[in-house]
Amino acid sequence: MIFIHPLWVIVVDYVLGVVMWTLIGRAAMNLFLREDSEFFFMRFFVRATDPILRFFKPVTPGFLIDPLVPLYVAWFFFMIRFYLMPWLLGYSVMGMLSFPLESDIAQFLYGMFR
């Protein structure tokens, strides 16, 4: 993947992907635990994503219940990765650059279980 795209594109996508998946992880953990839980994974998800959720507070609808807010914000990161990045890089087909992070993980898992 690194030879197809410039390094800065891969780094930006990895950062956006990690933020997106961390927000999704917080929403998933919130199905089983409260946000003030002492479980270390939940504490990590809350600490890591609270600044992001505060940043997106002005564009977050007030009618959303609290457990869905991280998914709503993760949707923004998905849209940036899937539509905005390929458009900014000049690809004529949307989604051509989409998800180098997930592609690398899938290739790693495929090679591991081959």
Side-chain angles (χ1 to χ4, degrees), residues 9 15 35 42 45-46 53 73 78 99 107:
V9 171
V15 169
E35 287 187 5
M42 189 60 177
F45 283 125
V46 170
L53 295 179
V73 175
F78 171 80
F99 312 125
Q107 287 176 355

Side-chain angles (χ1 to χ4, degrees), residues 2-51:
I2 194 75
F3 301 112
I4 298 171
H5 306 292
L7 180 62
W8 70 269
V9 171
I10 302 299
V11 170
V12 168
D13 183 73
Y14 272 46
V15 169
L16 293 173
V18 167
V19 170
M20 181 185 83
W21 283 110
T22 304
L23 287 162
I24 292 170
R26 176 179 174 158
M29 290 286 287
N30 205 11
L31 292 174
F32 304 104
L33 299 169
R34 297 183 328 264
E35 287 187 5
D36 61 351
S37 172
E38 292 299 316
F39 187 56
F40 62 95
F41 279 126
M42 189 60 177
R43 283 195 325 238
F44 167 76
F45 283 125
V46 170
R47 279 192 209 141
T49 58
D50 269 350

Side-chain angles (χ1 to χ4, degrees), residues 56-107:
F56 278 87
K57 184 78 169 163
V59 295
T60 304
F63 62 82
L64 279 179
I65 58 173
D66 287 339
L68 290 181
V69 172
L71 286 178
Y72 178 77
V73 175
W75 175 77
F76 280 103
F77 286 91
F78 171 80
M79 297 305 272
I80 290 168
R81 292 176 70 210
F82 194 76
Y83 291 111
L84 186 62
M85 283 191 56
W87 180 70
L88 289 175
L89 292 170
Y91 292 116
S92 61
V93 178
M94 292 299 179
M96 182 178 253
L97 169 69
S98 299
F99 312 125
L101 172 66
E102 288 82 356
S103 175
D104 289 345
I105 292 172
Q107 287 176 355

